[in-house]
């Protein structure tokens, strides 16, 4: 009886894995070569088997994921559609001229290659944060250029803001102390006592 139960449990997992493999092969949520995020792994699909999917990470690690984990989790396929949106947030100091910042950011967008004209780029101030005014830059590019466009846009924004003498702030905290004794009076009193 115990052997039968053990075999049943083993077969149950095997049949489930096989069914999940068939589901992946037939529904094709991804194909070999796609850039995906599955089971907490962000990688390229190397091969798809009936019981597992083999992924290669971008630092050249090979990861085998059971198909049950793939099917039971969320699958993000970065390669499925021909275009992707790139979003970069640029922070500038309070007091910056909003129109001047938008003009600088627009110049960067025009200079970066592989940015699509349609949908049109979005450049707006979207947040008044604790230490900065945050501008969101959203552009569209072809999927294969996504990383290059993101890096070029980020570097270009930093250089352009620096060249335009627009402050790029860092997190800061102003501390105001209340009801403290005057340090000079306390020091004078101490000198009087020493005399």
């Amino acid at each position: 009886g115990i052997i039968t139960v053990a075999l049943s449990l083993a077969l149950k997992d095997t049949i489930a894995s096989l069914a999940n493999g068939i589901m992946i092969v037939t529904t094709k949520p991804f194909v070999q070569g796609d850039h995906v995020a599955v089971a907490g792994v962000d990688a390229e699909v190397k091969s798809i088997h009936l019981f597992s999917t083999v992924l290669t990470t971008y630092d050249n690690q090979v990861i085998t994921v059971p198909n049950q984990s793939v099917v039971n989790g969320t699958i993000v396929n970065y390669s499925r559609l021909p275009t992707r949106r790139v979003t970069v947030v640029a922070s500038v100091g309070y007091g910056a001229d909003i129109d001047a910042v938008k003009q600088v950011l627009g110049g960067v967008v025009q200079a970066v290659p592989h940015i699509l004209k349609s949908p049109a780029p979005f450049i707006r101030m979207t947040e008044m944060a604790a230490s900065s005014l945050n501008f969101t830059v959203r552009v569209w590019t072809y999927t294969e250029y996504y990383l290059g466009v993101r890096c070029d846009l980020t570097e270009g924004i930093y250089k352009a803001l620096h060249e335009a003498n627009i402050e790029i702030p860092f997190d800061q905290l102003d501390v105001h102390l209340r009801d403290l004794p005057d340090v000079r009076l306390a020091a004078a009193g101490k000198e009087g006592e020493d005399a």
Side-chain angles (χ1 to χ4, degrees):
I2 294 173
I3 294 174
T4 304
V5 171
L7 285 172
S8 298
L9 291 174
L11 284 173
K12 175 187 161 210
D13 290 340
T14 303
I15 291 170
S17 291
L18 180 62
N20 290 325
I22 292 170
M23 184 182 298
I24 291 172
V25 170
T26 55
T27 62
K28 295 185 178 178
F30 49 78
V31 296
Q32 185 176 349
D34 279 356
H35 174 197
V36 298
V38 294
V41 179
D42 190 357
E44 182 180 327
V45 178
K46 188 75 173 171
S47 58
I48 304 165
H49 305 283
L50 286 178
F51 296 101
S52 62
T53 297
V54 179
L55 307 171
T56 303
T57 64
Y58 295 98
D59 57 352
N60 213 28
Q61 298 178 19
V62 177
I63 298 176
T64 302
V65 182
N67 285 336
Q68 186 171 359
S69 298
V70 174
V71 171
N72 290 339
T74 300
I75 301 170
V76 179
N77 188 332
Y78 299 108
S79 305
R80 176 59 60 90
L81 299 176
T83 59
R84 287 184 65 185
R85 189 180 75 187
V86 180
T87 302
V88 175
V89 175
S91 298
V92 302
Y94 272 90
D97 183 320
I98 293 174
D99 294 327
V101 173
K102 288 167 66 174
Q103 185 174 4
V104 168
L105 297 177
V108 174
V109 167
Q110 289 180 354
V112 172
H114 306 300
I115 289 178
L116 302 177
K117 303 292 184 199
S118 179
F122 172 92
I123 304 169
R124 297 293 299 271
M125 188 179 85
T126 52
E127 184 182 14
M128 292 186 291
S131 303
S132 63
L133 300 175
N134 294 338
F135 288 76
T136 299
V137 179
R138 291 190 184 117
V139 298
W140 287 83
T141 187
Y142 292 110
T143 299
E144 62 264 31
Y145 299 124
Y146 173 83
L147 184 59
V149 167
R150 182 174 173 77
C151 292
D152 289 346
L153 201 55
T154 303
E155 291 175 5
I157 287 171
Y158 175 80
K159 289 177 184 176
L161 290 176
H162 182 71
E163 289 170 4
N165 291 319
I166 297 173
E167 179 191 1
I168 302 172
F170 52 88
D171 286 341
Q172 54 189 334
L173 179 65
D174 291 334
V175 178
H176 300 273
L177 303 174
R178 293 182 178 185
D179 300 329
L180 284 178
D182 191 329
V183 176
R184 291 172 295 178
L185 292 177
K190 184 169 178 19
E191 287 176 7
E193 290 174 6
D194 292 342

